[in-house]
Structures are given as C-alpha cells and as structure tokens.
Amino acid sequence: MSPNSSRKALVVAAVVIVLGIGVFLFLRDQGGNSPGPASDAAYENQTEERPARFREVARASGIAFRMAFLPAEQGEKFKINLYDHGCGVAVGDYDGDGHDDVYFTNQLGENALYRNKGDGTFTDVTHKAAVALGDRVCVAATFADYDNDGKPDLFVTSTRGGNVLFHNQGDGTFKDVTRQAGLTLVAHSQTAAFFDYDNDGYLDLFVTNSAKWTLNQYDQAGHYFPGVPDFWKLAECPREYNILYHNNRDGTFTDVTNKAGLKGEGFGGDVAVFDFDEDGWLDLLVTNMFGASRLYRNHGNGVFKDVTKDILGRTSWGAIGSKAFDFNNDGRLDLLIVDMHSDMWLPPDVEPLKTRDNLKKKYDTAVGPLVTRGEAPLWGRFMVAFKIHPEEVIFGNTLFKKLPSGKFAEVSDKANLETFWPWGIATGDFDNDGYEDVYLPSGMGFPYGYWPSALMMNNGDETFTDRAEQTGIEPPPGGRHYGEIGGRPAARSSRCAAVADFDGDGRLDIVANNFNDHPYYFRNNYPQKNYVAFRLAGAKSNKDAIGALVRIYVGKEVMVRQVHAAGGYLSQSSRTLHFGLGHRSKIDRVEIRWPSGLRQQLDNPAVNTLHRLTESE
C-alpha cells in the first residue's frame, strides 16, 4: 500500500469513528445476551506450567471474586463512557492481626472483603463484615483510620449511588456512618484519598469526581443509571469537581474545597499525595482524564496553589494513574503519570499486538494512533470538545525526575516508560535488588483486541525493561480471552493493582482487579534476597502515619519510601514500607520524618525483618 493510500485509510477510519463512536459498525444487534464474568471452567484451565518469578494463585488462595460489568453498557452494544474504567482494589489490615487483607469493588453485584489467614491465603468475610453493598455501582475503596482509634475504617466511592463511609467496630464488622459523618455526596466519584493536609493529627479526605455522564432513567434491576451512548456526548457532559473534606476530629467532616482551591477542572481521576518540596506539608498531583494533570502545592494555611507550569511543565493529557516513588535511589520522590486516553482511539477491528512496536510511542495529538496533527478534522473537534491547550500537555506517559533544584525533568522516553493502554500504577521492589519496579495494569478489553499488562523492571541505571512475559505475568492464565460477546472474542484486561507481602516471606506480591473477570493474585517467587520493612504508627501524627517518609542509608546509597494514601488509580497498596536490599547485608541508619515534623533515627537495624515502630514523643 502506498503512503497516500495508508493516509487515506487512516482518514476513513477516523471518519468512521466520528460518525459512530460508541456504537461501532461491526456491533450489530444479534438478539443475543452478553456474557457475565468469565466462566469458572475457562479460568481454571491452567494446565500449562507458568514461569517461576510470579504465579497467579487467586482461586487457589481462596479469592473467588469476579468483577461483573454492566452488559447494556459494555457488552454487545458497547458504549464509550466511564463504565469501562472498571472497579478498584484496596489492601489494608482491617482486623489488626498484622496481615494485609483485600477488598474488591464491583459494578454489578456485591463487593468482596477477603481476610488474610496469615499465609497469603484468604477467607471471604464480606457478609460477616457487612461491607458487601451491591445496591450501587462501586468504583474504588480505601482503608484509613479517620478517627485515630487504631482500627482501619473503609470508604467506598460510587457512580451516582452515593459514597459510603464504614466505621470499623473492632469486632470484625463495619457500620455505615456516612450520613452522621456528613459525607452524603452523590456524584460520579473516582479516587478517595485520606491524608492530613493541615497536620493536626487527623486524616482529611480528598475525593476526585468526573462529570455528569449518566442519564436520568434508573435501571432497577442493575441498580445503575445508564451512561451516555458515545464519546461526543461524554465530551458535552457538565463537569463535576473534586472535594476536600476537613476532619473535624469528632467523627464528622466539612467541605473546605473552595477555600483550599482544589476544585479542579472536572474529569478528575487519580491523586498522588506527596510532599514534593519537602516543606512538611503534603501536596497533591491530580490527574485529569481529558486535560492536563495538575500539581497543587500546600501552603500550610489551608490553601493550595496550582504550580504545575513552574514545577512540572507539560503533563500527560489523558492521564489515569499517578504514583510518587524514588526510581533512581537518590533519596527524592519522583512522579510517574500514565496516559490511557491518548491511546484508546485505536479502531476496534485493529489487533494491537500485531502493531506493538508502532504503538509504544508518544503522539502529536490526543487522538493517538488514529491521525496526525495534519489530518485536522478529527483533531480539531477534539480540541474544541475538551478545550485542549497543546502547550500544556504531552500525549503519552510522563515520568518526572526530581532534581536537586526542586524542579522536575520529564524523562519517560529515556527511562523506557512509554507504554500502551495503561490504566493504573503499582510500584514495589519485586526482585529485592534495591530498586523499585513498576506494574502497569493495561488493556481495553471488548470490543478491542488483547493488550498485555507491563511489568517494568528497574535496571538500576534510570531505565526500565518490560519483563511481563519472562516473569509469568503474561500471558494471563486461561488465555488472553475469557469467552465471547456477540460472537467475538472478549479480551481480558486489567484496570488497577495493589502491592503487599501477603504471605510474609519478604517478597512483594501483586493483586489486580480485572474487567468483567476474575482478579489476579500474583505470588512472588523471585529468589530470596535481603530486605527490610517498616510498619509505622503515628502518635502526634495521624495513626496511619500517612505521609511519613523513611530513608535508609547504606554506604553512599540512600533509598526512600513514603507511607502512601490511596493512589495509582482505584487502588490502595499496603502501608508497610518495603526496601529490597539485594546483597547488601547491613544498613547504616534509618531516618524517619513523621507528618508531625518529628524526626527519628535508628542505627544498624536488623535486615530481613519487619520493624513495627510507633512515633516517639
């Protein structure tokens, strides 16, 4: 095919998308029913031997949950709306036995809470704990001790069903205290993150919201409001805005968004909570699904200021996940943002794996691989619909390396962190070599072709290499498809992931919630290497120690980890801080900076040990 013919073919494809986005021409009403979640038989057909580094063991470990989509939204008559973003996963030790548990959210059906037996196997305690819900579309969840009573509570976000605050009763059960707490917002909510923005020792709450993208008729059977039918209708939806709630320290919260300046621009997705300038006040990076991500500096007086242009420059346009972590062991937190929406416009009848090398690159426009900037009609319509300012954004992933000057340099291409169809981010030193790695749950699912998640292993030289296939992450157990929808293969795809050492063996495991499918629980089988871990409890600071920084010093090396709020997209990883040490057998010292400002030091702590530390008065 000639270059002109190729360009004409792309233009034709673009026109097809413009005329029929959301109700694609090949999706005919055949009178059939879209399947539910993947069949048990297909999932259990895992006779092939998996590579040694990770092994998927969800079902064998007692996790029987299946996330179910809404067939009328994401099934045979596929619509482009935010129901295709799926549901979240949260990790936390809800019963205080020292072992991290797992909570999954669902669209159609009940959520699920799994109690860790202590060996990385699980028991379903959803009904006993009274956290199933099932009467609304749930999106994300987070564990946090908002009242400092030593018991992790649970907050769940929803699409127009009302968010829910569950108070931990301390006897294995939770109580819905949403109304008493003043958190009765009904919106199209996404991520919820608890953090102490005013350093008063109590966790405040930040909730991202997207837009009013559902219609007013209510589906009684499915407990949901149908979504808009196509992309251009989505673009026209009235924006919703983020909310910051101040913790009143009496079990109630007050909306202080306007004073704080954190309303945002609509279509809020994920949030990374970290003190980027290390002035003792936690700052926020908020992703925008259809616009520039924004960095807000906390001034310490209850007011945040947008400093994106001065500190970061251009940010990812169609961002979903974000995560602050130290990728190069210089003792400073860097920032990774992944861009799904600049990738998603690949025509559904194109098999992405066949054009893999051409897709892992940045684009000139928000319509990704469909058109170039010279093919103006579609690009121009996008610019108008989403008020795109090209000078503010990058169409692709962005990795911001923290510089000694306090600013950041964008180095994603140098680091080999440009990927395709990424949703969330989960970080951890999976091989315990001393450098944090990155797992990116990826893929669109039906009606698109299969695309693998990425396991970006840190090479220790400020570059990463995808080793998903070599380590057993890919291909997924049971195959790349879980069945058919309307006679077409339905590709597996992941939306979010969390990290924890579930079995206490000193190696970090991964759990991912998948779209219309079973979750993955990847048990880590890397060869044993040295490590050290810390579990912090605040005294003057918030009980969860969210925002605390731990730095370890080994000779001239310095490593840093932060106790994170929820983040990475619809996910929350363990609050236990894990450092791989490789062959380093001794730590010179550990420095802890608590959210209260208190600093502690430990000399020569034991390695291959989990240290439980309480903030010293």
Side-chain angles (χ1 to χ4, degrees), residues 27-242:
L27 294 176
R28 305 293 186 186
D29 184 0
Q30 301 176 10
N33 294 319
S34 299
S39 69
D40 291 351
Y43 186 83
E44 291 170 350
N45 184 24
Q46 300 181 52
T47 57
E48 73 276 15
E49 189 66 29
R50 309 292 294 174
R53 301 316 188 205
F54 283 98
R55 183 171 179 83
E56 202 295 298
V57 295
R59 301 297 300 283
S61 300
I63 298 176
F65 175 78
R66 296 185 301 188
M67 181 263 159
F69 71 1
L70 304 170
E73 301 294 315
Q74 301 302 320
E76 203 166 337
K77 299 177 181 179
F78 178 83
K79 301 177 185 177
I80 289 186
N81 60 49
L82 300 193
Y83 281 130
D84 74 354
H85 284 214
C87 298
V89 57
V91 169
D93 181 9
Y94 85 94
D95 56 356
D97 65 354
H99 307 293
D100 280 318
D101 311 300
V102 185
Y103 185 75
F104 297 97
T105 61
N106 207 349
Q107 284 187 353
L108 183 62
E110 296 180 340
N111 302 336
L113 175 62
Y114 287 91
R115 179 181 179 273
N116 189 341
K117 297 178 183 178
D119 58 359
T121 65
F122 297 86
T123 300
D124 187 339
V125 295
T126 311
H127 289 174
K128 177 182 177 181
V131 292
L133 293 176
D135 60 349
R136 70 199 75 192
V137 173
C138 294
V139 179
T142 177
F143 290 98
D145 184 2
Y146 74 90
D147 57 354
N148 283 346
D149 66 354
K151 300 183 290 290
D153 309 298
L154 178 65
F155 187 80
V156 182
T157 63
S158 169
T159 297
R160 205 171 170 179
N163 301 330
V164 182
L165 177 64
F166 288 108
H167 182 259
N168 191 330
Q169 302 292 91
D171 58 359
T173 68
F174 291 81
K175 179 182 179 182
D176 184 343
V177 296
T178 311
R179 185 168 298 278
Q180 299 95 300
L183 299 175
T184 56
L185 174 71
V186 176
H188 300 71
S189 297
Q190 291 276 304
T191 297
F194 284 88
F195 74 109
D196 185 3
Y197 80 89
D198 56 355
N199 287 348
D200 67 351
Y202 282 77
L203 292 173
D204 310 297
L205 173 61
F206 183 74
V207 179
T208 65
N209 298 298
S210 55
K212 297 178 181 178
W213 52 269
T214 56
L215 308 176
N216 288 330
Q217 61 264 36
Y218 183 68
D219 187 304
Q220 294 284 351
H223 304 292
Y224 75 100
F225 292 88
V228 293
D230 59 55
F231 179 77
W232 301 115
K233 292 294 184 183
L234 181 64
E236 296 170 357
C237 292
R239 305 300 192 257
E240 290 180 341
Y241 300 101
N242 307 322

Side-chain angles (χ1 to χ4, degrees), residues 276-326:
F276 81 87
D277 54 1
E278 296 207 37
D279 65 352
W281 303 94
L282 288 171
D283 312 299
L284 299 180
L285 182 286
V286 183
T287 64
N288 186 333
M289 300 174 191
F290 301 107
S293 300
R294 299 294 183 186
L295 178 64
Y296 297 95
R297 181 178 183 269
N298 186 343
H299 281 248
N301 59 356
V303 176
F304 291 74
K305 180 182 178 182
D306 184 347
V307 295
T308 312
K309 182 178 180 181
D310 292 338
I311 304 300
L312 299 179
R314 298 164 66 198
T315 59
S316 296
W317 173 79
I320 298 293
S322 61
K323 199 76 174 181
F325 71 108
D326 180 12

Side-chain angles (χ1 to χ4, degrees), residues 289-531:
M289 300 174 191
F290 301 107
S293 300
R294 299 294 183 186
L295 178 64
Y296 297 95
R297 181 178 183 269
N298 186 343
H299 281 248
N301 59 356
V303 176
F304 291 74
K305 180 182 178 182
D306 184 347
V307 295
T308 312
K309 182 178 180 181
D310 292 338
I311 304 300
L312 299 179
R314 298 164 66 198
T315 59
S316 296
W317 173 79
I320 298 293
S322 61
K323 199 76 174 181
F325 71 108
D326 180 12
F327 85 101
N328 58 352
N329 283 4
D330 63 359
R332 295 184 288 267
L333 291 176
D334 311 296
L335 177 65
L336 175 62
I337 305 172
V338 294
D339 179 353
M340 154 59 75
H341 285 140
S342 292
D343 291 340
M344 72 171 292
W345 316 117
L346 192 71
D349 55 350
V350 172
E351 177 55 57
L353 284 175
K354 294 181 179 179
T355 57
R356 178 186 300 225
D357 293 338
N358 294 326
L359 295 177
K360 289 185 178 181
K361 62 181 181 181
K362 287 184 169 56
Y363 306 117
D364 292 331
T365 72
V367 288
L370 258 186
V371 298
T372 66
R373 186 163 297 179
E375 292 157 347
L378 185 60
W379 167 233
R381 189 173 179 185
F382 269 75
M383 289 186 70
V384 172
F386 285 107
K387 300 179 177 62
I388 297 173
H389 302 284
E391 71 280 1
E392 293 185 351
V393 294
I394 294 174
F395 303 106
N397 297 348
T398 45
L399 173 63
F400 293 98
K401 175 184 173 181
K402 180 73 177 293
L403 303 176
S405 66
K407 292 193 176 184
F408 291 78
E410 204 289 295
V411 297
S412 57
D413 288 340
K414 292 180 181 178
N416 191 38
L417 276 179
E418 188 58 61
T419 64
F420 189 68
W421 278 350
W423 291 94
I425 304 170
T427 60
D429 187 356
F430 300 121
D431 57 358
N432 276 344
D433 68 348
Y435 291 88
E436 284 203 273
D437 312 300
V438 180
Y439 175 73
L440 301 176
S442 307
M444 281 289 291
F446 181 85
Y448 298 87
Y450 180 78
W451 186 262
S453 295
L455 182 67
M456 308 303 292
M457 298 302 293
N458 195 325
N459 298 317
D461 59 0
E462 299 194 352
T463 69
F464 293 80
T465 300
D466 186 358
R467 302 200 181 279
E469 293 184 4
Q470 296 95 318
T471 58
I473 296 292
E474 291 288 344
R480 291 171 173 165
H481 302 86
Y482 59 77
E484 292 187 348
I485 298 177
R488 297 181 60 87
R492 287 194 160 95
S493 57
S494 298
R495 292 297 185 268
C496 59
V499 172
D501 179 5
F502 289 111
D503 53 4
D505 66 355
R507 295 173 291 188
L508 292 175
D509 311 304
I510 302 170
V511 61
N513 202 357
N514 300 324
F515 193 65
N516 198 41
D517 199 0
H518 293 272
Y520 299 146
Y521 169 27
F522 293 110
R523 183 74 65 83
N524 190 331
N525 293 315
Y526 264 94
Q528 292 280 2
K529 292 182 181 178
N530 293 327
Y531 77 97

Side-chain angles (χ1 to χ4, degrees), residues 546-570:
I546 288 174
L549 285 175
V550 174
R551 287 184 172 91
I552 68 171
Y553 295 83
V554 182
K556 295 182 179 180
E557 290 185 282
V558 57
M559 306 178 197
V560 64
R561 304 284 187 270
Q562 177 184 280
V563 181
H564 284 290
Y569 193 56
L570 310 186

